[in-house]
Short mmCIF file of all heavy atoms in Angstrom, two decimals:
data_model
loop_
_atom_site.label_atom_id
_atom_site.label_comp_id
_atom_site.label_asym_id
_atom_site.label_seq_id
_atom_site.Cartn_x
_atom_site.Cartn_y
_atom_site.Cartn_z
N ALA A 599 -0.60 0.63 -13.34
CA ALA A 599 -0.36 0.69 -14.79
C ALA A 599 -0.21 -0.73 -15.35
O ALA A 599 -0.69 -1.02 -16.45
CB ALA A 599 0.87 1.53 -15.09
N THR A 600 0.45 -1.59 -14.60
CA THR A 600 0.66 -2.96 -15.03
C THR A 600 -0.65 -3.75 -15.04
O THR A 600 -0.90 -4.54 -15.95
CB THR A 600 1.70 -3.64 -14.11
OG1 THR A 600 2.90 -2.89 -14.10
CG2 THR A 600 2.01 -5.04 -14.58
N LEU A 601 -1.49 -3.53 -14.03
CA LEU A 601 -2.78 -4.19 -14.00
C LEU A 601 -3.63 -3.78 -15.19
O LEU A 601 -4.30 -4.61 -15.82
CB LEU A 601 -3.51 -3.86 -12.70
CG LEU A 601 -2.94 -4.45 -11.42
CD1 LEU A 601 -3.65 -3.88 -10.19
CD2 LEU A 601 -3.03 -5.99 -11.40
N MET A 602 -3.62 -2.49 -15.53
CA MET A 602 -4.35 -2.00 -16.71
C MET A 602 -3.83 -2.66 -17.96
O MET A 602 -4.60 -3.11 -18.82
CB MET A 602 -4.25 -0.49 -16.81
CG MET A 602 -5.09 0.26 -15.80
SD MET A 602 -5.10 2.04 -16.15
CE MET A 602 -5.89 2.05 -17.78
N SER A 603 -2.53 -2.75 -18.10
CA SER A 603 -1.92 -3.35 -19.27
C SER A 603 -2.30 -4.83 -19.41
O SER A 603 -2.44 -5.35 -20.51
CB SER A 603 -0.41 -3.20 -19.22
OG SER A 603 0.22 -3.80 -20.33
N ALA A 604 -2.49 -5.49 -18.25
CA ALA A 604 -2.87 -6.90 -18.24
C ALA A 604 -4.35 -7.10 -18.48
O ALA A 604 -4.81 -8.25 -18.59
CB ALA A 604 -2.48 -7.51 -16.90
N GLY A 605 -5.11 -5.99 -18.57
CA GLY A 605 -6.54 -6.11 -18.84
C GLY A 605 -7.36 -6.51 -17.65
O GLY A 605 -8.47 -7.06 -17.81
N LEU A 606 -6.89 -6.21 -16.45
CA LEU A 606 -7.64 -6.52 -15.24
C LEU A 606 -8.25 -5.24 -14.68
O LEU A 606 -7.53 -4.28 -14.39
CB LEU A 606 -6.72 -7.14 -14.17
CG LEU A 606 -6.11 -8.49 -14.50
CD1 LEU A 606 -5.19 -8.96 -13.36
CD2 LEU A 606 -7.17 -9.56 -14.78
N ASP A 607 -9.57 -5.23 -14.49
CA ASP A 607 -10.17 -4.09 -13.83
C ASP A 607 -9.92 -4.21 -12.33
O ASP A 607 -9.30 -5.18 -11.85
CB ASP A 607 -11.64 -3.94 -14.18
CG ASP A 607 -12.50 -5.11 -13.69
OD1 ASP A 607 -12.18 -5.75 -12.69
OD2 ASP A 607 -13.58 -5.36 -14.32
N GLY A 608 -10.41 -3.22 -11.58
CA GLY A 608 -10.08 -3.20 -10.14
C GLY A 608 -10.53 -4.43 -9.39
O GLY A 608 -9.80 -5.00 -8.58
N LEU A 609 -11.76 -4.89 -9.65
CA LEU A 609 -12.26 -6.06 -8.95
C LEU A 609 -11.59 -7.34 -9.43
O LEU A 609 -11.26 -8.21 -8.63
CB LEU A 609 -13.79 -6.16 -9.12
CG LEU A 609 -14.49 -7.33 -8.39
CD1 LEU A 609 -14.10 -7.39 -6.93
CD2 LEU A 609 -15.98 -7.24 -8.55
N GLU A 610 -11.35 -7.44 -10.71
CA GLU A 610 -10.65 -8.62 -11.25
C GLU A 610 -9.25 -8.72 -10.67
O GLU A 610 -8.76 -9.82 -10.39
CB GLU A 610 -10.59 -8.55 -12.75
CG GLU A 610 -11.97 -8.74 -13.42
CD GLU A 610 -11.98 -8.33 -14.89
OE1 GLU A 610 -10.98 -7.75 -15.37
OE2 GLU A 610 -13.00 -8.58 -15.55
N ALA A 611 -8.61 -7.59 -10.49
CA ALA A 611 -7.29 -7.59 -9.85
C ALA A 611 -7.37 -8.14 -8.44
O ALA A 611 -6.51 -8.91 -8.01
CB ALA A 611 -6.72 -6.17 -9.84
N LEU A 612 -8.41 -7.74 -7.69
CA LEU A 612 -8.58 -8.24 -6.32
C LEU A 612 -8.86 -9.73 -6.32
O LEU A 612 -8.29 -10.48 -5.51
CB LEU A 612 -9.73 -7.51 -5.66
CG LEU A 612 -9.50 -6.05 -5.26
CD1 LEU A 612 -10.81 -5.40 -4.84
CD2 LEU A 612 -8.46 -5.98 -4.12
N VAL A 613 -9.72 -10.20 -7.21
CA VAL A 613 -10.06 -11.63 -7.26
C VAL A 613 -8.82 -12.47 -7.55
O VAL A 613 -8.57 -13.48 -6.87
CB VAL A 613 -11.16 -11.89 -8.33
CG1 VAL A 613 -11.37 -13.39 -8.51
CG2 VAL A 613 -12.47 -11.23 -7.92
N THR A 614 -8.03 -12.05 -8.52
CA THR A 614 -6.83 -12.82 -8.86
C THR A 614 -5.79 -12.75 -7.75
O THR A 614 -5.08 -13.73 -7.49
CB THR A 614 -6.22 -12.37 -10.18
OG1 THR A 614 -5.93 -10.96 -10.13
CG2 THR A 614 -7.16 -12.64 -11.34
N HIS A 615 -5.67 -11.61 -7.10
CA HIS A 615 -4.71 -11.51 -6.01
C HIS A 615 -5.12 -12.39 -4.83
O HIS A 615 -4.32 -13.08 -4.24
CB HIS A 615 -4.59 -10.04 -5.55
CG HIS A 615 -3.41 -9.80 -4.64
ND1 HIS A 615 -3.39 -8.79 -3.70
CD2 HIS A 615 -2.22 -10.45 -4.53
CE1 HIS A 615 -2.23 -8.82 -3.07
NE2 HIS A 615 -1.52 -9.80 -3.54
N THR A 616 -6.42 -12.37 -4.51
CA THR A 616 -6.90 -13.26 -3.43
C THR A 616 -6.66 -14.71 -3.79
O THR A 616 -6.31 -15.51 -2.92
CB THR A 616 -8.39 -13.00 -3.19
OG1 THR A 616 -8.58 -11.67 -2.70
CG2 THR A 616 -8.98 -14.00 -2.19
N ALA A 617 -6.82 -15.06 -5.06
CA ALA A 617 -6.59 -16.44 -5.49
C ALA A 617 -5.16 -16.90 -5.32
O ALA A 617 -4.88 -18.10 -5.22
CB ALA A 617 -7.03 -16.60 -6.94
N THR A 618 -4.21 -15.95 -5.25
CA THR A 618 -2.82 -16.33 -5.00
C THR A 618 -2.59 -16.71 -3.54
O THR A 618 -1.55 -17.29 -3.20
CB THR A 618 -1.85 -15.17 -5.34
OG1 THR A 618 -2.03 -14.10 -4.39
CG2 THR A 618 -2.04 -14.66 -6.75
N GLY A 619 -3.54 -16.35 -2.67
CA GLY A 619 -3.36 -16.61 -1.23
C GLY A 619 -2.65 -15.50 -0.52
O GLY A 619 -2.48 -15.56 0.72
N LYS A 620 -2.27 -14.44 -1.25
CA LYS A 620 -1.52 -13.34 -0.66
C LYS A 620 -2.33 -12.05 -0.58
O LYS A 620 -1.85 -11.03 -0.06
CB LYS A 620 -0.24 -13.08 -1.48
CG LYS A 620 0.72 -14.26 -1.50
CD LYS A 620 1.93 -13.98 -2.39
CE LYS A 620 2.84 -15.18 -2.45
NZ LYS A 620 4.02 -14.92 -3.33
N GLY A 621 -3.55 -12.09 -1.08
CA GLY A 621 -4.40 -10.92 -1.05
C GLY A 621 -5.40 -10.95 0.10
O GLY A 621 -5.42 -11.88 0.89
N MET A 622 -6.25 -9.94 0.17
CA MET A 622 -7.25 -9.88 1.21
C MET A 622 -8.33 -10.93 1.00
O MET A 622 -8.66 -11.28 -0.15
CB MET A 622 -7.94 -8.49 1.25
CG MET A 622 -7.03 -7.37 1.74
SD MET A 622 -7.97 -5.85 1.98
CE MET A 622 -8.60 -5.57 0.34
N THR A 623 -8.89 -11.42 2.09
CA THR A 623 -10.02 -12.32 2.00
C THR A 623 -11.22 -11.61 1.43
O THR A 623 -11.32 -10.38 1.55
CB THR A 623 -10.38 -12.89 3.38
OG1 THR A 623 -10.78 -11.80 4.24
CG2 THR A 623 -9.21 -13.65 4.01
N PRO A 624 -12.15 -12.32 0.78
CA PRO A 624 -13.35 -11.66 0.26
C PRO A 624 -14.09 -10.85 1.32
O PRO A 624 -14.61 -9.76 1.01
CB PRO A 624 -14.19 -12.84 -0.24
CG PRO A 624 -13.18 -13.88 -0.62
CD PRO A 624 -12.10 -13.75 0.40
N LYS A 625 -14.12 -11.32 2.56
CA LYS A 625 -14.79 -10.57 3.63
C LYS A 625 -14.23 -9.16 3.72
O LYS A 625 -15.00 -8.18 3.82
CB LYS A 625 -14.59 -11.31 4.96
CG LYS A 625 -14.95 -10.48 6.19
CD LYS A 625 -14.51 -11.19 7.47
CE LYS A 625 -14.64 -10.23 8.66
NZ LYS A 625 -14.18 -10.88 9.92
N TRP A 626 -12.92 -9.01 3.69
CA TRP A 626 -12.29 -7.70 3.79
C TRP A 626 -12.46 -6.89 2.52
O TRP A 626 -12.61 -5.66 2.57
CB TRP A 626 -10.82 -7.83 4.16
CG TRP A 626 -10.67 -8.02 5.63
CD1 TRP A 626 -10.64 -9.21 6.31
CD2 TRP A 626 -10.55 -7.00 6.63
NE1 TRP A 626 -10.51 -8.96 7.67
CE2 TRP A 626 -10.46 -7.63 7.89
CE3 TRP A 626 -10.53 -5.60 6.55
CZ2 TRP A 626 -10.33 -6.92 9.08
CZ3 TRP A 626 -10.40 -4.89 7.73
CH2 TRP A 626 -10.30 -5.53 8.99
N VAL A 627 -12.49 -7.56 1.38
CA VAL A 627 -12.74 -6.84 0.11
C VAL A 627 -14.14 -6.25 0.12
O VAL A 627 -14.33 -5.08 -0.22
CB VAL A 627 -12.59 -7.80 -1.10
CG1 VAL A 627 -13.06 -7.14 -2.37
CG2 VAL A 627 -11.12 -8.25 -1.23
N PHE A 628 -15.13 -7.03 0.55
CA PHE A 628 -16.49 -6.52 0.56
C PHE A 628 -16.66 -5.39 1.54
O PHE A 628 -17.33 -4.40 1.29
CB PHE A 628 -17.48 -7.64 0.92
CG PHE A 628 -17.45 -8.84 -0.02
CD1 PHE A 628 -17.83 -10.09 0.42
CD2 PHE A 628 -17.02 -8.71 -1.34
CE1 PHE A 628 -17.78 -11.20 -0.41
CE2 PHE A 628 -16.97 -9.80 -2.19
CZ PHE A 628 -17.36 -11.05 -1.72
#
Side-chain angles (χ1 to χ4, degrees):
T600 303
L601 291 172
M602 286 188 63
S603 179
L606 296 178
D607 65 27
L609 181 51
E610 291 165 352
L612 288 169
V613 172
T614 56
H615 193 207
T616 295
T618 68
K620 298 177 182 179
M622 290 189 299
T623 62
K625 167 190 170 182
W626 278 90
V627 171
F628 302 154

